[in-house]
Amino acid sequence: DGGITQSPKYLFRKEGQNVTLSCEQNLNHDAMYWYRQDPGQGLRLIYYSQIVNDFQKGDIAEGYSVSREKKESFPLTVTSAQKNPTAFYLCASSPPDFSHTFGSGTRLTVV
Amino acid sequence: GENVEQHPSTLSVQEGDSAVIKCTYSDSASNYFPWYKQELGKRPQLIIDIRSNVGEKKDQRIAVTLNKTAKHFSLHITETQPEDSAVYFCAASIRPRDYKLSFGAGTTVTVRA
């Protein structure tokens, strides 16, 4: 998928359960991002990382956690503290002075 | 932080007509403005971008204009076709200080045949 892969495509979470969304890129991009998209709404930034072993909170970080141990990987964990996690999650990456390349997304549903 | 507002939220045009989407931004330091197109259930894809040292940029039927004084930028699609139906997002960023993008809420464009 254009060098950035998200898995799984669909994910179902039970109440009180933590789940991890995978994002891998082979574009050699320094920066990676996680966005949440709700129906009829725009893209809201959850976390982003501009360099390995460093990341910053976005606008809606509560209830989420990330790690950036490798340049290629930026997994997102949706914790039980996130009360309304049902949404479409998009991962993206970018070089320093260019725009984002997005993955194909993970649709998370609480059951 | 940067606040980007996008209008209209929905836009319906007759095939062959033009479509215009407008965005305003709050931070005068913003200097990079990409536009994304997202088809239903798909990922957003970059269609055009503009930097603050340029007032207008064109790519076939798509053009973007930037007014730094007024802090707004617009996407123009001419000779619209059914495949132009999608959600369009504008965004703003301050490069190279900040890699992240601040997105507008999106415009759903429907092209009527």
Side-chain angles (χ1 to χ4, degrees):
Chain A
D1 281 339
I4 181 164
T5 302
Q6 288 187 242
S7 62
K9 189 171 183 178
Y10 299 97
L11 186 58
F12 298 91
R13 191 193 94 167
K14 295 181 180 179
E15 294 283 351
Q17 188 179 47
N18 291 357
V19 291
T20 297
L21 283 59
S22 171
C23 180
E24 303 276 335
Q25 54 102 358
N26 61 4
L27 301 167
N28 199 33
H29 287 170
D30 292 315
M32 297 187 74
Y33 317 80
W34 276 104
Y35 291 90
R36 170 178 171 147
Q37 188 173 33
D38 293 285
Q41 296 192 29
L43 302 166
R44 292 187 290 169
L45 183 65
I46 304 172
Y47 270 98
Y48 66 106
S49 168
Q50 297 187 176
I51 193 170
V52 174
N53 293 322
D54 187 45
F55 49 83
Q56 288 78 40
K57 292 182 179 180
D59 301 319
I60 55 166
E62 186 174 351
Y64 301 96
S65 65
V66 293
S67 63
R68 187 84 187 279
E69 297 177 359
K70 299 186 300 180
K71 188 175 185 178
E72 302 79 16
S73 179
F74 192 42
L76 174 74
T77 297
V78 184
T79 75
S80 57
Q82 172 50 241
K83 298 306 179 187
N84 185 23
T86 295
F88 188 50
Y89 290 86
L90 285 160
C91 179
S93 68
S94 76
D97 197 24
F98 199 63
S99 197
H100 292 11
T101 298
F102 284 90
S104 56
T106 294
R107 194 166 298 278
L108 174 63
T109 304
V110 174
V111 296
Chain B
E2 173 67 281
N3 181 46
V4 178
E5 295 190 355
Q6 184 172 346
H7 299 280
S9 57
T10 60
L11 181 59
S12 180
V13 297
Q14 190 69 36
E15 183 177 358
D17 288 349
S18 295
V20 181
I21 304 169
K22 298 181 180 180
C23 290
T24 61
Y25 59 99
S26 60
D27 193 334
S28 58
S30 289
N31 57 10
Y32 178 66
F33 308 93
W35 285 88
Y36 285 85
K37 175 183 180 181
Q38 186 179 27
E39 297 177 0
L40 191 63
K42 301 287 183 66
R43 58 181 167 172
Q45 293 196 304
L46 179 71
I47 55 172
I48 196 167
D49 57 9
I50 192 168
R51 298 182 188 268
S52 59
N53 59 345
V54 175
E56 182 176 6
K57 185 176 180 180
K58 291 183 180 179
D59 183 3
Q60 300 181 354
R61 295 186 298 107
I62 293 174
V64 57
T65 58
L66 172 64
N67 184 326
K68 288 188 293 183
T69 303
K71 292 191 285 187
H72 68 71
F73 57 111
S74 300
L75 178 72
H76 304 254
I77 306 173
T78 60
E79 301 173 11
T80 53
Q81 301 169 6
E83 53 264 37
D84 294 330
S85 295
V87 180
Y88 292 81
F89 294 99
C90 62
S93 180
I94 303 171
R95 300 293 173 91
R97 185 189 83 188
D98 205 353
Y99 295 1
K100 66 184 176 74
L101 295 172
S102 297
F103 283 89
T107 297
T108 301
V109 174
T110 303
V111 179
R112 307 186 308 271

